[in-house]
Amino acid sequence: MDHGNRRNHAHHVGEELRGILLFLVAIWSVFLLDRLLPLEMFALWPRRLSGLPGILASPFLHLDLGHILSNTIPLLVLLSLLAGSRANSGRTVVILIVLSGALLWLFGRPVPVVGASGLVFALIGFLILSGILERRLVALLVSAFVAFSYGGTLMFGILPGQPGVSWDGHLFGVIGGVAAAWFLARQP
């Protein structure tokens, strides 16, 4: 068994805790900066050229304190679980942001979207499917934990008709997460 090959072996949360915390600090820093500057102009607007920067920017933008708080705890939990997987966490998060954001930009309703919930839903989809595809006990336990803990959120979060909720952002997040898991978790 080659323990030097990091692609084939799980890494540990402790090794990536700094990156997770820096990511959350970045989201909170942008939130605080947005109180002073009009950063919401970088929201993701589906099918508008001016909305393209929102694919990368929208996970860092939040409407208010309740909005950012509702995303912070799930991000902390799910990113920590991702850190224990075989996936390269940083690369996976970038792929999830770009893929789910691109799907939302292509197919979403024509309304501005901000917030990290699309990434939260992408992580849920990714962790559930990648745990099954990895066929490791720990990965399967993580998959089951995420399905049990976030299954209700997953089901209700993608239902249309919730005022002020980007259900389509959630839906494309899950689709992006599942697609990423399908390709990334099956790589040797």
Side-chain angles (χ1 to χ4, degrees):
M1 199 187 244
D2 178 13
H3 291 285
N5 187 345
R6 303 299 285 161
R7 288 183 343 170
N8 291 328
H9 299 284
H11 34 118
H12 301 283
V13 175
E15 296 171 356
E16 297 197 18
L17 186 57
R18 182 172 175 241
I20 293 167
L21 293 176
L22 285 173
F23 185 75
L24 293 174
V25 165
I27 288 175
W28 275 88
S29 297
V30 170
F31 173 73
L32 294 173
L33 191 59
D34 190 32
R35 307 301 82 161
L36 305 171
L37 301 171
L39 298 180
E40 60 276 350
M41 68 183 186
F42 296 109
L44 190 155
W45 276 88
R47 291 172 303 289
R48 285 190 185 181
L49 287 179
S50 63
L52 277 173
I55 291 173
L56 296 177
S58 65
F60 295 91
L61 300 170
H62 290 83
L63 297 173
D64 55 35
L65 187 60
H67 188 208
I68 194 169
L69 285 172
S70 69
N71 285 322
T72 299
I73 300 301
L75 279 174
L76 179 62
V77 170
L78 295 167
L79 289 171
S80 297
L81 292 171
L82 179 65
S85 74
R86 288 184 177 173
N88 175 314
S89 299
R91 180 182 78 158
T92 301
V93 168
V94 170
I95 289 169
L96 294 176
I97 289 172
V98 171
L99 188 54
S100 60
L103 288 169
L104 180 59
W105 188 84
L106 287 169
F107 304 111
R109 295 171 298 135
V111 296
V113 178
V114 296
S117 60
L119 175 58
V120 167
F121 279 76
L123 284 163
I124 292 169
F126 181 86
L127 288 167
I128 290 172
L129 185 59
S130 67
I132 294 166
L133 295 175
E134 280 187 23
R135 296 184 186 155
R136 292 184 306 123
L137 179 60
V138 172
L140 287 168
L141 291 173
V142 165
S143 179
F145 172 79
V146 171
F148 179 76
S149 300
Y150 293 99
T153 300
L154 178 66
M155 298 315 292
F156 290 110
I158 61 173
L159 294 177
Q162 302 171 58
V165 174
S166 177
W167 63 269
D168 47 347
H170 298 170
L171 176 64
F172 292 120
V174 172
I175 292 169
V178 166
W182 183 258
F183 290 104
L184 296 176
R186 294 172 23 155
Q187 292 179 357

